[in-house]
Coordinates of all heavy atoms in Angstrom, one line a residue:
H1 N -19.0 9.6 10.0 CA -18.7 8.1 9.9 C -17.4 7.9 9.1 O -17.2 8.6 8.2 CB -19.8 7.3 9.3 CG -21.1 7.4 10.2 ND1 -21.3 6.5 11.2 CD2 -22.1 8.2 10.1 CE1 -22.4 6.8 11.7 NE2 -23.0 7.8 11.1
A2 N -16.6 6.9 9.5 CA -15.4 6.6 8.8 C -15.3 5.2 8.5 O -15.9 4.3 9.2 CB -14.2 7.0 9.7
S3 N -14.7 4.9 7.4 CA -14.4 3.5 7.1 C -13.0 3.1 7.5 O -12.1 3.9 7.3 CB -14.6 3.2 5.6 OG -15.9 3.5 5.2
S4 N -12.8 2.0 8.0 CA -11.5 1.5 8.5 C -10.7 0.9 7.4 O -11.3 0.1 6.6 CB -11.6 0.6 9.7 OG -10.4 0.4 10.3
I5 N -9.5 1.3 7.2 CA -8.6 0.7 6.2 C -7.3 0.3 6.9 O -7.1 0.8 8.0 CB -8.4 1.6 5.0 CG1 -7.7 2.9 5.4 CG2 -9.6 1.8 4.3 CD1 -7.3 3.8 4.3
G6 N -6.5 -0.5 6.4 CA -5.2 -0.8 7.0 C -4.2 -1.4 6.1 O -4.4 -1.5 4.9
G7 N -3.1 -1.8 6.7 CA -2.0 -2.4 6.0 C -1.5 -3.6 6.7 O -2.1 -3.9 7.8
P8 N -0.6 -4.3 6.2 CA 0.0 -5.5 6.9 C 0.7 -5.2 8.2 O 1.2 -4.0 8.3 CB 0.9 -6.1 5.8 CG 1.3 -4.9 5.0 CD 0.1 -4.0 5.0
G9 N 0.7 -6.1 9.1 CA 1.5 -6.0 10.3 C 3.0 -6.1 10.0 O 3.4 -6.7 8.9
R10 N 3.8 -5.6 10.8 CA 5.3 -5.7 10.7 C 5.9 -6.4 11.9 O 5.7 -6.0 13.0 CB 5.9 -4.3 10.5 CG 7.4 -4.3 10.4 CD 7.9 -2.8 10.2 NE 7.5 -1.9 11.2 CZ 8.1 -1.8 12.4 NH1 9.2 -2.5 12.7 NH2 7.7 -0.9 13.3
P11 N 6.6 -7.5 11.7 CA 7.2 -8.2 12.8 C 8.2 -7.3 13.5 O 9.0 -6.6 12.8 CB 7.9 -9.4 12.2 CG 7.3 -9.6 10.8 CD 6.8 -8.2 10.4
V12 N 8.2 -7.2 14.8 CA 9.1 -6.4 15.5 C 10.2 -7.2 16.2 O 11.3 -6.9 16.2 CB 8.4 -5.5 16.6 CG1 9.3 -4.8 17.5 CG2 7.4 -4.6 15.9
K13 N 9.7 -8.4 16.8 CA 10.6 -9.2 17.5 C 10.0 -10.7 17.5 O 8.8 -10.9 17.6 CB 10.7 -8.8 19.0 CG 11.5 -9.7 19.9 CD 11.5 -9.2 21.3 CE 12.3 -10.2 22.2 NZ 12.1 -9.9 23.6
V14 N 10.9 -11.6 17.2 CA 10.5 -13.0 17.3 C 11.3 -13.7 18.4 O 12.6 -13.6 18.4 CB 10.8 -13.7 15.9 CG1 10.4 -15.2 16.0 CG2 10.0 -13.1 14.8
G15 N 10.6 -14.2 19.4 CA 11.3 -14.9 20.5 C 11.1 -16.4 20.4 O 10.6 -16.9 19.4
R16 N 11.5 -17.0 21.5 CA 11.4 -18.5 21.5 C 9.9 -19.0 21.5 O 9.5 -19.9 20.8 CB 12.1 -19.1 22.7 CG 12.3 -20.6 22.7 CD 13.1 -21.1 23.8 NE 12.3 -21.1 25.1 CZ 11.4 -22.1 25.4 NH1 11.2 -23.1 24.5 NH2 10.7 -22.0 26.5
T17 N 9.1 -18.3 22.3 CA 7.7 -18.7 22.4 C 6.7 -17.6 22.0 O 5.5 -17.8 22.1 CB 7.3 -19.1 23.9 OG1 7.6 -17.9 24.7 CG2 8.2 -20.2 24.4
S18 N 7.2 -16.5 21.5 CA 6.3 -15.4 21.2 C 6.8 -14.6 20.0 O 7.9 -14.7 19.6 CB 6.1 -14.4 22.3 OG 7.3 -13.8 22.6
I19 N 5.9 -13.8 19.4 CA 6.2 -12.9 18.3 C 5.5 -11.6 18.6 O 4.3 -11.6 19.0 CB 5.8 -13.5 16.9 CG1 6.2 -12.5 15.8 CG2 4.3 -13.8 16.8 CD1 6.1 -13.1 14.4
T20 N 6.2 -10.5 18.4 CA 5.6 -9.1 18.6 C 5.5 -8.5 17.2 O 6.4 -8.5 16.4 CB 6.5 -8.3 19.5 OG1 6.6 -8.9 20.8 CG2 5.9 -6.9 19.7
V21 N 4.3 -8.0 16.9 CA 3.9 -7.4 15.6 C 3.5 -6.0 15.8 O 2.7 -5.7 16.7 CB 2.8 -8.3 14.9 CG1 2.5 -7.7 13.6 CG2 3.2 -9.7 14.8
H22 N 3.9 -5.1 15.0 CA 3.4 -3.7 15.0 C 2.3 -3.6 14.0 O 2.4 -3.9 12.9 CB 4.5 -2.7 14.6 CG 4.1 -1.3 14.7 ND1 4.0 -0.6 15.9 CD2 3.6 -0.4 13.8 CE1 3.6 0.6 15.7 NE2 3.3 0.7 14.5
L23 N 1.1 -3.1 14.5 CA -0.1 -3.0 13.7 C -0.5 -1.5 13.7 O -0.4 -0.8 14.8 CB -1.2 -3.9 14.2 CG -0.9 -5.4 14.2 CD1 -2.0 -6.1 14.9 CD2 -0.7 -5.9 12.8
E24 N -1.1 -1.0 12.6 CA -1.7 0.3 12.6 C -3.1 0.2 12.1 O -3.5 -0.7 11.3 CB -0.9 1.2 11.6 CG 0.5 1.4 12.0 CD 1.3 2.3 11.0 OE1 0.7 2.5 9.9 OE2 2.4 2.7 11.3
A25 N -4.0 1.1 12.6 CA -5.4 1.2 12.1 C -5.6 2.6 11.5 O -5.3 3.6 12.2 CB -6.4 0.9 13.2
W26 N -6.0 2.6 10.3 CA -6.2 3.9 9.6 C -7.7 4.0 9.3 O -8.4 3.0 9.2 CB -5.4 3.9 8.3 CG -4.0 3.9 8.5 CD1 -3.1 2.8 8.8 CD2 -3.1 5.0 8.4 NE1 -1.9 3.3 8.9 CE2 -1.8 4.6 8.7 CE3 -3.3 6.4 8.1 CZ2 -0.7 5.5 8.6 CZ3 -2.3 7.2 8.1 CH2 -1.0 6.8 8.4
A27 N -8.1 5.2 9.1 CA -9.5 5.5 8.8 C -9.6 6.5 7.6 O -8.7 7.3 7.4 CB -10.3 6.1 10.0
L28 N -10.7 6.4 6.9 CA -10.9 7.3 5.7 C -12.3 7.9 5.9 O -13.2 7.1 5.8 CB -10.7 6.6 4.4 CG -10.8 7.4 3.2 CD1 -9.7 8.5 3.1 CD2 -10.7 6.5 1.9
R29 N -12.4 9.2 6.0 CA -13.7 9.8 6.1 C -14.4 9.9 4.7 O -13.7 10.0 3.7 CB -13.6 11.2 6.7 CG -13.3 11.2 8.2 CD -13.5 12.6 8.8 NE -13.3 12.6 10.2 CZ -12.1 13.0 10.8 NH1 -11.1 13.4 10.1 NH2 -12.0 12.9 12.1
R30 N -15.7 9.8 4.7 CA -16.4 9.9 3.5 C -16.1 11.2 2.8 O -15.9 12.2 3.5 CB -17.9 9.8 3.7 CG -18.3 8.4 4.2 CD -19.8 8.4 4.4 NE -20.1 7.1 5.1 CZ -21.3 6.8 5.5 NH1 -22.3 7.7 5.4 NH2 -21.5 5.7 6.1
R31 N -16.0 11.2 1.5 CA -15.7 12.4 0.7 C -14.4 13.0 0.9 O -14.1 14.2 0.6 CB -16.8 13.5 0.9 CG -18.2 13.0 0.5 CD -19.2 14.1 0.6 NE -20.5 13.6 1.0 CZ -21.0 13.7 2.2 NH1 -20.4 14.4 3.1 NH2 -22.1 13.1 2.6
E32 N -13.5 12.3 1.6 CA -12.1 12.7 1.7 C -11.1 11.7 1.1 O -11.5 10.5 1.0 CB -11.7 12.9 3.2 CG -12.5 14.1 3.9 CD -12.0 14.4 5.3 OE1 -10.9 13.9 5.6 OE2 -12.7 15.1 6.0
T33 N -10.0 12.2 0.7 CA -9.0 11.3 0.0 C -7.8 11.0 0.9 O -7.0 10.1 0.6 CB -8.5 11.9 -1.3 OG1 -7.9 13.2 -1.0 CG2 -9.7 12.1 -2.3
Q34 N -7.7 11.7 2.0 CA -6.5 11.5 2.9 C -6.9 10.6 4.1 O -7.7 11.0 4.9 CB -6.0 12.9 3.4 CG -4.7 12.8 4.2 CD -3.5 12.3 3.3 OE1 -3.4 12.7 2.1 NE2 -2.6 11.6 3.9
A35 N -6.3 9.5 4.2 CA -6.5 8.6 5.4 C -5.7 9.2 6.6 O -4.7 9.9 6.4 CB -6.0 7.2 5.1
F36 N -6.2 8.8 7.8 CA -5.5 9.3 9.0 C -5.3 8.1 9.9 O -6.2 7.2 10.0 CB -6.2 10.5 9.6 CG -7.6 10.2 10.1 CD1 -7.9 9.8 11.4 CD2 -8.7 10.3 9.2 CE1 -9.2 9.6 11.8 CE2 -10.0 10.0 9.5 CZ -10.2 9.7 10.8
L37 N -4.2 8.2 10.7 CA -3.9 7.1 11.7 C -4.8 7.3 12.9 O -4.9 8.3 13.5 CB -2.4 7.2 12.1 CG -1.9 6.2 13.1 CD1 -1.9 4.8 12.4 CD2 -0.5 6.6 13.5
V38 N -5.5 6.2 13.2 CA -6.4 6.2 14.3 C -5.7 5.7 15.6 O -5.8 6.2 16.6 CB -7.7 5.3 14.1 CG1 -8.6 5.2 15.3 CG2 -8.4 5.8 12.8
T39 N -5.0 4.6 15.4 CA -4.2 4.0 16.5 C -3.1 3.1 16.0 O -3.2 2.6 14.9 CB -5.1 3.3 17.5 OG1 -4.4 2.9 18.7 CG2 -5.7 2.0 16.9
D40 N -2.1 2.8 16.8 CA -1.1 1.8 16.4 C -0.6 1.3 17.7 O -0.7 1.8 18.8 CB 0.0 2.4 15.5 CG 0.9 3.4 16.3 OD1 0.4 4.1 17.2 OD2 2.0 3.5 15.9
G41 N 0.1 0.1 17.6 CA 0.7 -0.5 18.8 C 1.4 -1.8 18.4 O 1.3 -2.3 17.3
N42 N 2.1 -2.2 19.4 CA 2.8 -3.5 19.3 C 2.0 -4.6 20.1 O 1.6 -4.3 21.2 CB 4.2 -3.5 19.9 CG 5.1 -2.6 19.1 OD1 5.0 -2.5 17.9 ND2 6.1 -2.0 19.8
F43 N 1.7 -5.7 19.4 CA 0.9 -6.7 19.9 C 1.8 -8.0 20.0 O 2.4 -8.4 19.0 CB -0.3 -7.0 19.1 CG -1.2 -5.8 19.0 CD1 -1.0 -4.8 18.2 CD2 -2.3 -5.7 19.9 CE1 -1.9 -3.7 18.1 CE2 -3.2 -4.6 19.9 CZ -2.9 -3.6 19.0
T44 N 1.8 -8.6 21.2 CA 2.6 -9.8 21.4 C 1.7 -11.0 21.5 O 0.8 -11.1 22.3 CB 3.5 -9.7 22.7 OG1 4.3 -8.6 22.6 CG2 4.3 -11.0 22.9
Y45 N 2.0 -12.0 20.6 CA 1.2 -13.2 20.5 C 2.1 -14.3 21.1 O 3.3 -14.5 20.6 CB 0.8 -13.5 19.1 CG -0.1 -12.5 18.5 CD1 0.5 -11.4 17.8 CD2 -1.4 -12.5 18.7 CE1 -0.3 -10.4 17.3 CE2 -2.2 -11.5 18.2 CZ -1.7 -10.5 17.4 OH -2.5 -9.5 16.9
V46 N 1.6 -15.1 22.0 CA 2.4 -16.2 22.6 C 1.8 -17.5 22.1 O 0.6 -17.8 22.2 CB 2.3 -16.1 24.2 CG1 3.1 -17.3 24.8 CG2 2.9 -14.8 24.6
S47 N 2.7 -18.4 21.7 CA 2.3 -19.8 21.3 C 2.1 -20.6 22.5 O 2.9 -20.7 23.4 CB 3.4 -20.4 20.4 OG 3.0 -21.7 20.1
I48 N 0.9 -21.2 22.7 CA 0.6 -22.1 23.8 C 0.2 -23.5 23.4 O -0.3 -23.7 22.3 CB -0.5 -21.4 24.7 CG1 -1.8 -21.2 23.9 CG2 0.0 -20.1 25.3 CD1 -3.0 -20.8 24.8
D49 N 0.4 -24.4 24.3 CA 0.0 -25.8 24.1 C -1.4 -26.0 24.5 O -2.1 -25.1 24.9 CB 1.0 -26.8 24.7 CG 1.1 -26.6 26.2 OD1 0.1 -26.1 26.9 OD2 2.0 -27.1 26.8
D50 N -1.9 -27.3 24.5 CA -3.3 -27.6 24.9 C -3.6 -27.3 26.3 O -4.7 -27.1 26.7 CB -3.6 -29.0 24.5 CG -3.6 -29.3 23.0 OD1 -3.8 -28.3 22.3 OD2 -3.4 -30.5 22.6
Q51 N -2.5 -27.2 27.1 CA -2.8 -26.9 28.6 C -2.6 -25.4 28.9 O -2.7 -25.0 30.0 CB -1.8 -27.7 29.4 CG -2.1 -29.2 29.5 CD -1.7 -30.0 28.2 OE1 -0.6 -29.7 27.7 NE2 -2.6 -30.8 27.7
G52 N -2.3 -24.6 27.9 CA -2.2 -23.2 28.1 C -0.8 -22.7 28.5 O -0.6 -21.6 28.9
H53 N 0.2 -23.6 28.3 CA 1.6 -23.3 28.7 C 2.3 -22.8 27.4 O 2.1 -23.3 26.4 CB 2.3 -24.5 29.3 CG 1.7 -25.0 30.5 ND1 0.9 -26.1 30.6 CD2 1.6 -24.4 31.8 CE1 0.5 -26.3 31.8 NE2 0.9 -25.3 32.6
P54 N 3.2 -21.8 27.6 CA 4.0 -21.4 26.4 C 4.8 -22.5 25.8 O 5.3 -23.4 26.5 CB 4.9 -20.3 27.0 CG 4.3 -19.8 28.3 CD 3.5 -21.0 28.8
Q55 N 4.9 -22.5 24.5 CA 5.6 -23.5 23.8 C 6.4 -22.8 22.7 O 6.1 -21.7 22.2 CB 4.7 -24.6 23.2 CG 3.8 -24.1 22.1 CD 2.9 -25.2 21.5 OE1 3.0 -26.3 21.9 NE2 2.1 -24.8 20.5
P56 N 7.5 -23.5 22.2 CA 8.3 -22.8 21.2 C 7.4 -22.6 19.9 O 6.6 -23.4 19.6 CB 9.4 -23.9 20.9 CG 9.5 -24.6 22.2 CD 8.1 -24.7 22.7
I57 N 7.6 -21.4 19.3 CA 6.9 -21.1 18.1 C 7.5 -21.9 16.9 O 8.6 -22.3 16.9 CB 6.8 -19.6 17.8 CG1 8.2 -19.0 17.6 CG2 6.1 -18.9 18.8 CD1 8.2 -17.6 17.2
A58 N 6.7 -22.1 15.9 CA 7.1 -22.8 14.7 C 8.3 -22.1 14.0 O 8.4 -20.9 14.0 CB 6.0 -22.9 13.7
S59 N 9.3 -22.9 13.5 CA 10.4 -22.3 12.9 C 10.1 -21.7 11.5 O 11.0 -21.1 10.9 CB 11.5 -23.4 12.7 OG 11.0 -24.5 11.9
A60 N 8.9 -21.8 11.0 CA 8.5 -21.3 9.8 C 8.3 -19.8 9.8 O 8.1 -19.1 8.8 CB 7.2 -22.0 9.3
V61 N 8.3 -19.2 11.0 CA 8.1 -17.8 11.1 C 9.3 -17.0 10.6 O 10.4 -17.3 11.0 CB 7.8 -17.4 12.6 CG1 7.7 -15.9 12.8 CG2 6.6 -18.1 13.2
P62 N 9.1 -16.1 9.7 CA 10.2 -15.3 9.1 C 10.9 -14.4 10.2 O 10.2 -14.0 11.1 CB 9.6 -14.5 8.0 CG 8.2 -14.4 8.3 CD 7.8 -15.6 9.1
P63 N 12.1 -14.1 10.0 CA 12.8 -13.2 11.0 C 12.3 -11.8 10.8 O 11.7 -11.5 9.8 CB 14.3 -13.3 10.6 CG 14.3 -13.7 9.2 CD 13.0 -14.6 9.0
P64 N 12.4 -11.0 11.8 CA 12.0 -9.6 11.7 C 12.7 -8.8 10.6 O 13.8 -9.1 10.2 CB 12.4 -9.0 13.1 CG 12.7 -10.1 14.0 CD 13.1 -11.2 13.1
I65 N 11.9 -7.9 10.0 CA 12.5 -7.1 9.0 C 13.2 -5.9 9.6 O 12.7 -5.2 10.4 CB 11.3 -6.5 8.1 CG1 10.6 -7.7 7.5 CG2 11.9 -5.6 7.0 CD1 9.3 -7.3 6.8
P66 N 14.5 -5.7 9.3 CA 15.3 -4.6 9.9 C 14.6 -3.3 9.5 O 14.2 -3.1 8.3 CB 16.7 -4.7 9.2 CG 16.7 -6.1 8.6 CD 15.3 -6.5 8.4
V67 N 14.6 -2.3 10.4 CA 14.1 -1.0 10.1 C 15.2 0.0 10.0 O 16.2 0.0 10.6 CB 13.1 -0.6 11.3 CG1 12.5 0.8 11.0 CG2 12.0 -1.6 11.4

């Protein structure tokens, strides 16, 4: 069995109606000290209105962090 641990997401791209965030999932086995990467990926979240149509995202979203 493993316990899941993780870190914060990293903005990859901020568009007019969406934001893409890179997320990682890490695990730590019992009695071990070294965590290992289980999976990672880019997830795109789209801002939608009450009718389910894309809408501009709030201007309060910070810009992507340069890599």
Side-chain angles (χ1 to χ4, degrees):
H1 295 273
S3 298
S4 197
I5 60 174
R10 178 178 55 85
V12 174
K13 177 184 174 189
V14 178
R16 192 178 76 80
T17 61
S18 65
I19 182 168
T20 302
V21 180
H22 183 80
L23 299 173
E24 296 179 349
W26 292 79
L28 181 65
R29 289 192 176 99
R30 293 180 191 174
R31 296 186 218 106
E32 290 189 18
T33 58
Q34 186 68 34
F36 60 96
L37 182 65
V38 177
T39 189
D40 69 326
N42 291 331
F43 297 84
T44 301
Y45 300 92
V46 179
S47 177
I48 58 173
D49 62 20
D50 292 337
Q51 288 75 44
H53 299 106
Q55 67 179 359
I57 58 175
S59 60
V61 175
I65 300 169
V67 179

